[in-house]
Amino acid sequence: MARKQQPRRSAPPSPGVGHGEFVMYPGTRAEVYDLLERLSAAAGDSPDAGTPGLSLDRTRLVVRWFGEVPAAVQRVVDSAGEGLTVTVVPTEFRPGDLRAEAARIAAEHAPVVQAAIARPEADGVEVLVAPDAGDPAAVVAAAGVTSAFPLFAEVGEAG
């Protein structure tokens, strides 16, 4: 007997957390937040800067970047203290372009699209549809949601 696969539920976008901001997690060392703040300051409003990723054990930080990493950002990466490994990972698409596309999709396709967000990996745009709307990919296709970037249709609601 085959099991029917349930659509993946996606967490809603973090409310109030914008580009260059980050969430404070309990138990994280202060030097990690210091490094994140310095990275954010060095990156400024660059459309090339992606969403940083922090490992569960708070010892590894991934800096996602499109194209050449500016010297100011590289200096911050190189200044990571002992016990914190920082890796720069190139992104497939410019994160700023993905953020703009997500905003366009959300504005043009509401209320079918509950929310649209640039994926942290900068590999496309996550498009969230209501849990009771049906198959997410079918709902997005039927609504005529298209993009020059890959779309990842998921079940979710705006936060």
Side-chain angles (χ1 to χ4, degrees):
M1 183 164 138
R3 289 176 119 188
K4 182 178 177 185
Q5 187 175 13
Q6 295 295 317
R8 187 178 134 222
R9 288 187 59 91
S10 199
S14 299
V17 178
H19 174 62
E21 298 178 333
F22 47 88
V23 177
M24 302 287 278
Y25 293 102
T28 302
R29 300 182 336 244
E31 57 266 27
V32 173
Y33 291 118
D34 176 61
L35 185 72
L36 284 168
E37 287 175 357
R38 290 186 292 124
L39 275 170
S40 182
D45 290 332
S46 174
D48 297 336
T51 304
L54 186 59
S55 66
L56 292 175
D57 67 0
R58 313 293 191 252
T59 62
R60 295 179 313 279
L61 179 67
V62 173
V63 176
R64 297 179 179 100
W65 200 272
F66 181 83
E68 187 79 23
V69 177
V73 171
Q74 189 62 55
R75 279 193 296 276
V76 174
V77 167
D78 294 341
S79 74
E82 191 174 318
L84 182 61
T85 303
V86 182
T87 307
V88 176
V89 175
T91 63
E92 184 175 354
F93 301 108
R94 178 171 276 117
D97 294 345
L98 294 174
R99 289 187 291 271
E101 181 68 350
R104 180 196 69 81
I105 290 169
E108 290 180 7
H109 295 282
V112 172
V113 171
Q114 298 285 300
I117 54 174
R119 289 171 48 99
E121 301 83 3
D123 60 353
V125 176
E126 190 163 307
V127 179
L128 303 179
V129 300
D132 59 355
D135 175 64
V139 170
V140 167
V145 180
T146 60
S147 176
F149 300 104
L151 297 177
F152 296 82
E154 301 290 343
V155 171
E157 295 174 284

